[in-house]
């Protein structure tokens, strides 16, 4: 599989939904496969909160492949021998695109807490600028899960002529109180961690020492991203072999799992980016600029395909069923499909149980 990673700087203003303006910005993106002559084989991949532009394949020195490698590649569901796949790092994320630690051209200093609040619409608008630079005006499909699914819905509604197919997995039309509450745990833990220093921490310090507040917030996220059944199946009541049962801080295996994953997270993910991205997800509402969701989804022109997961505890299946019902109500029966996957990995099923929906997506793409 041919993999190319690149960066584009846009020396032009991006007017944001908040009314603020980014005078300039950068996007890092990765492509897989080759663009055909008439540019009709484009598939856009949108990543989730902690994801990046590196969706598939493996760099030479990399221990693990890209986050959706089970789904994208030569001979896989999104076959890179056939499609030209592009995934950009979201605006606001810390994997190369403009974010809170970027330099503000007006002050020549890092934005930090002066970085503007972004919406999903802003992220998609920036990505559309990228496609224009690449000479791409249409896509065969846009595919994303979780926060990436929010982007997919935004493409369907706000860029209705762009994609023939839109696949939104494990997502919602607007963020409900439960998901906002999960994010709140992370926000408060980060804000009140002394190492955060009100947003003026040293990056090298975090790489060396981590940030306990972000780690604790990540634990809350991991619990919401998985499911009770998965925890039962994977850990049971197994106790750490290295810890004593009657030690106060002796750990069950599930505790060791949370510690290992959470305390490594701050070494690769920036806390300011995490705060800004949580805010972006919290304020997402596909009906924000319309009176009703019905008015928003009335703009959809492509085929909208929804895939939910039965044990998703972050964005529940009924949230996606609501979108299906709205599309049917407004007379777009021929433009909507819905599938609920009987899953066992919670919200993260869209990442790890690919074999339960990949052929379904292929059938829809080729229909």
């Amino acid at each position: 599989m041919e993999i190319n990673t690149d960066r584009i700087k846009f020396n032009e203003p991006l007017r944001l939904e908040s009314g603020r303006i980014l005078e300039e910005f950068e996007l890092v993106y990765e492509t897989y496969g080759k663009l055909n002559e008439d540019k009709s084989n484009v598939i856009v991949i949108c990543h989730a909160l902690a994801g990046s532009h590196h969706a598939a394949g493996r760099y030479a020195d990399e221990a693990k492949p890209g986050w959706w490698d089970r789904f994208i590649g030569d001979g896989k569901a999104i076959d890179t021998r056939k499609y030209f796949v592009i995934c950009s790092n979201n605006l606001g994320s810390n994997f190369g695109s403009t974010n809170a630690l970027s330099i503000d051209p007006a002050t020549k200093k890092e934005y930090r807490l002066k970085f503007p609040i972004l919406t999903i619409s802003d992220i998609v608008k920036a990505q559309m600028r990228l496609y224009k630079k690449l000479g791409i005006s249409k896509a065969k499909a846009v595919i994303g899960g979780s926060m990436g699914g929010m982007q997919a819905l935004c493409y369907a509604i706000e860029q209705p002529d762009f994609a023939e197919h839109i696949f939104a997995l494990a997502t919602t039309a607007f963020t409900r109180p439960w998901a906002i509450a999960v994010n709140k745990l992370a926000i408060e833990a980060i804000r009140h961690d002394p190492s955060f220093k009100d947003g003026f921490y040293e990056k090298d310090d975090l790489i060396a020492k981590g940030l306990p507040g972000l780690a604790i917030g990540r634990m809350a996220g991991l619990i919401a991203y998985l499911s009770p059944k998965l925890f039962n199946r994977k850990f049971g009541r197994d106790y750490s072999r290295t810890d004593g049962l009657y030690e106060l801080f002796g750990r069950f295996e599930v505790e060791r799992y949370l510690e290992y994953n959470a305390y490594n997270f701050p070494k690769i993910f920036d806390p300011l980016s995490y705060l800004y991205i949580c805010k972006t997800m919290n304020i997402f509402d596909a009906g924000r600029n319309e009176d009703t969701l019905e008015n928003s989804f009335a703009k959809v022109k492509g085929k909208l395909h929804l895939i939910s997961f039965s044990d998703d505890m972050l964005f529940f299946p009924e949230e996606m069923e609501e979108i299906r019902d709205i599309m049917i109500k407004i007379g777009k029966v021929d433009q909507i499909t819905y599938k609920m996957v009987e899953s066992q990995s919670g919200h993260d099923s869209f990442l790890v149980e690919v074999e339960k929906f990949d052929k379904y997506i292929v059938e829809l793409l080729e229909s």
Side-chain angles (χ1 to χ4, degrees):
M1 180 176 67
E2 183 175 330
I3 305 175
N4 291 291
T5 308
D6 208 344
R7 177 191 303 268
I8 289 186
K9 183 174 183 179
F10 297 84
N11 295 308
E12 57 191 49
L14 181 70
R15 186 174 295 276
L16 306 174
E17 188 176 308
S18 66
R20 290 189 62 184
I21 296 173
L22 279 178
E23 294 295 343
E24 59 185 42
F25 64 97
E26 292 183 328
L27 291 180
V28 172
Y29 67 98
E30 197 158 278
T31 63
Y32 316 92
K34 293 183 179 180
L35 188 62
N36 62 13
E37 189 172 344
D38 63 359
K39 300 180 179 179
S40 62
N41 67 333
V42 175
I43 289 185
V44 169
I45 301 295
C46 303
H47 71 73
L49 187 159
S52 72
H53 53 283
H54 184 40
R58 193 189 301 264
Y59 302 144
D61 58 348
E62 192 175 28
K64 293 182 179 180
W67 55 270
W68 227 353
D69 189 67
R70 299 183 185 190
F71 187 51
I72 301 164
D74 289 357
K76 298 177 184 178
I78 304 304
D79 193 341
T80 46
R81 298 170 304 184
K82 179 177 181 180
Y83 297 113
F84 178 71
V85 181
I86 181 167
C87 181
S88 61
N89 183 221
N90 290 343
L91 201 62
S93 176
N94 62 257
F95 291 112
S97 295
T98 295
N99 61 80
L101 294 184
S102 298
I103 300 299
D104 180 349
T107 65
K108 309 304 180 186
K109 298 179 181 179
E110 293 173 337
Y111 284 101
R112 299 282 175 160
L113 293 175
K114 293 183 179 179
F115 192 66
I117 298 300
L118 301 171
T119 66
I120 296 295
S121 297
D122 296 329
I123 290 170
V124 169
K125 190 188 297 185
Q127 291 170 0
M128 289 297 293
R129 296 272 183 95
L130 169 63
Y131 310 142
K132 185 177 180 180
K133 283 269 191 182
L134 299 176
I136 294 169
S137 59
K138 289 187 176 294
K140 176 71 174 177
V142 173
I143 310 174
S146 192
M147 184 182 179
M150 294 177 178
Q151 293 169 64
L153 293 178
C154 187
Y155 274 102
I157 294 166
E158 297 180 13
Q159 310 293 336
D161 296 312
F162 180 65
E164 180 183 347
H165 295 274
I166 303 96
F167 293 87
L169 292 73
T171 194
T172 184
F174 58 93
T175 305
R176 267 72 166 182
W178 167 252
I180 294 171
V182 171
N183 286 339
K184 180 64 171 175
L185 292 174
I187 291 167
E188 289 301 296
I190 293 169
R191 285 180 61 196
H192 295 288
D193 188 327
S195 301
F196 182 60
K197 297 180 181 178
D198 294 323
F200 290 94
Y201 51 85
E202 294 293 332
K203 289 179 284 186
D204 290 343
D205 287 347
L206 296 192
I207 293 171
K209 303 174 185 176
L211 187 81
L214 178 54
I216 293 167
R218 186 61 174 171
M219 283 188 194
L222 287 169
I223 293 168
Y225 300 157
L226 304 178
S227 72
K229 288 183 179 179
L230 175 63
F231 278 117
N232 291 339
R233 187 174 69 253
K234 187 170 184 177
F235 304 107
R237 282 186 50 81
D238 292 348
Y239 204 79
S240 172
R241 294 179 181 177
T242 60
D243 295 354
L245 181 63
Y246 300 106
E247 293 174 8
L248 180 58
F249 298 109
R251 297 161 299 170
F252 285 90
E253 284 296 333
V254 66
E255 295 176 288
R256 289 187 65 212
Y257 166 82
L258 290 172
E259 285 183 7
Y260 175 80
N261 284 278
Y263 281 99
N264 280 315
F265 187 68
K267 297 178 182 179
I268 61 170
F269 208 93
D270 175 66
L272 273 173
S273 284
Y274 201 89
L275 291 176
Y276 274 94
I277 293 169
C278 283
K279 184 67 175 184
T280 297
M281 293 183 69
N282 284 352
I283 63 176
F284 174 67
D285 184 348
R288 174 182 294 278
N289 297 314
E290 297 290 339
D291 293 333
T292 64
L293 282 173
E294 285 87 346
N295 289 343
S296 288
F297 283 101
K299 296 179 178 180
V300 176
K301 293 182 180 179
K303 302 273 189 178
L304 179 57
H305 309 293
L306 308 173
I307 301 177
S308 69
F309 297 85
S310 61
D311 64 344
D312 189 341
M313 290 184 61
L314 189 66
F315 300 130
F316 296 86
E318 53 263 35
E319 297 180 38
M320 301 195 74
E321 290 164 7
E322 179 186 26
I323 301 172
R324 175 203 60 191
D325 294 344
I326 287 171
M327 289 288 286
I328 293 171
K329 179 182 177 182
I330 61 177
K332 293 184 177 288
V333 179
D334 295 334
Q335 291 175 248
I336 186 72
T337 67
Y338 172 73
K339 177 182 179 65
M340 183 176 73
V341 173
E342 289 296 332
S343 55
Q344 296 183 320
S345 304
H347 181 67
D348 277 357
S349 295
F350 81 95
L351 295 171
V352 299
E353 296 189 36
V354 170
E355 71 283 353
K356 293 185 177 180
F357 61 82
D358 57 354
K359 293 181 179 62
Y360 174 73
I361 288 180
V362 172
E363 289 172 3
L364 290 171
L365 277 174
E366 296 180 351
S367 63

